[in-house]
Amino acid sequence: MFQLGMLRQEWFGPTLRRWRMLNRVKQSSLAAEMGVSQTTVSRWESGQLVPERAHAQRLERLLSARPKSSADHALNELVETSRQPVHLICDFTHRLLAASAGRLEDWRVPLSDKLGTSLWRYATEGIRLGEAGLAARGWMDAHPPEVTVLTERMDHRDLTIRAGEIVYTRIALSDGSFARLVRDGARQALA
C-alpha cells in the first residue's frame, strides 16, 4: 500500500484538505506552488491520484506537525514535565515532538537523539496492527475517539517498549497539522 511518510493513502486526501481549509489555501494556490494543476490537487484530495515521489516529499514537509504557537509549545511542555510515561509525535510522520521523563526511563539514548526523528522503526507488531485499524475506528473523523492499542514487549538497542495498553489521543495543532499523544494505558505490564 502506498504511504506518504507514515500516512496511509486513504488518510492523505482528508489530511491535505483539512490543512488547506485551516490555513485558507485554495487548491489553485497550492497547485501553483507545487507546479501541478488544480485538478491534480483535487484528485489528490479525493484519493483518485497518488502524488509522485517529489510531490509526496514536499507535501510531507508541508503537512508535518511543527508546534509553532504558544499553545503548541505549552502542550510540549506539559508532555515533557509529566510524571507519566507519555510522548508526543507527529500524527503524519511519527516524528518525536516531546517526551516525558517517565517515558525516557525506558530509553537508553538521550531525548535529543530522538527529537525530530520517526519512532516508526520501533513499532511492535501490536502497534502496527493498531495503526492499520485507526481509520476504521474513526481516527480521521472531526472528533476522533481515543484509541487503545495492545502491544507486546520489544527491546531495541535504543529503547524498550513495555507490553500492555497504549492510548492514542489525536490533537490538532495551531497550524492545522495533527500530533498524537501516546501514553501507557491501564493495563501496563511491569516486565
Side-chain angles (χ1 to χ4, degrees):
M1 173 176 280
F2 160 76
Q3 290 196 336
L4 178 64
M6 301 310 327
L7 188 74
R8 294 189 350 230
Q9 181 179 356
E10 66 266 22
W11 293 12
F12 173 70
T15 300
L16 178 60
R17 178 168 168 62
R18 185 176 197 292
W19 176 88
R20 256 192 343 90
M21 294 296 148
L22 286 173
N23 289 283
R24 296 183 176 144
V25 175
K26 293 182 177 184
Q27 283 183 342
S28 58
S29 298
L30 180 60
E33 183 178 322
M34 298 294 294
V36 298
S37 70
Q38 181 272 328
T39 303
T40 297
V41 173
S42 177
R43 293 178 68 205
W44 288 341
E45 289 183 2
S46 69
Q48 296 173 348
L49 182 66
V50 175
E52 297 173 8
R53 179 177 291 285
H55 294 130
Q57 290 171 341
R58 289 182 65 196
L59 290 165
E60 182 175 321
R61 285 191 300 274
L62 182 71
L63 299 175
S64 293
R66 293 175 304 280
K68 293 179 181 178
S69 72
S70 58
D72 295 344
H73 291 293
L75 173 62
N76 274 12
E77 186 176 329
L78 286 171
V79 169
E80 291 168 357
T81 59
S82 175
R83 294 181 182 175
Q84 303 299 315
V86 61
H87 63 280
L88 188 69
I89 60 174
C90 171
D91 196 46
F92 188 77
T93 63
H94 294 91
R95 284 182 309 103
L96 181 65
L97 304 173
S100 69
R103 177 65 75 217
L104 296 175
E105 288 176 5
D106 290 330
W107 293 13
R108 292 174 281 287
V109 295
L111 176 60
S112 60
D113 284 5
K114 295 296 169 205
L115 277 177
T117 64
S118 174
L119 298 182
W120 185 248
R121 68 177 157 258
Y122 303 111
T124 64
E125 184 63 25
I127 291 171
R128 290 175 187 273
L129 287 172
E131 184 80 14
L134 286 176
R137 295 172 80 178
W139 193 251
M140 296 301 292
D141 294 352
H143 302 287
E146 284 191 338
V147 173
T148 300
V149 173
L150 293 176
T151 184
E152 62 280 7
R153 181 183 176 93
M154 181 70 73
D155 289 303
H156 295 277
R157 184 175 53 101
D158 295 346
L159 56 85
T160 294
I161 297 173
R162 295 181 187 206
E165 292 180 348
I166 298 174
V167 179
Y168 296 154
T169 305
R170 194 167 194 238
I171 300 171
L173 298 180
S174 62
D175 68 352
S177 63
F178 284 94
R180 182 184 306 183
L181 185 68
V182 181
R183 65 185 196 281
D184 291 352
R187 295 185 297 161
Q188 198 64 31
L190 297 176

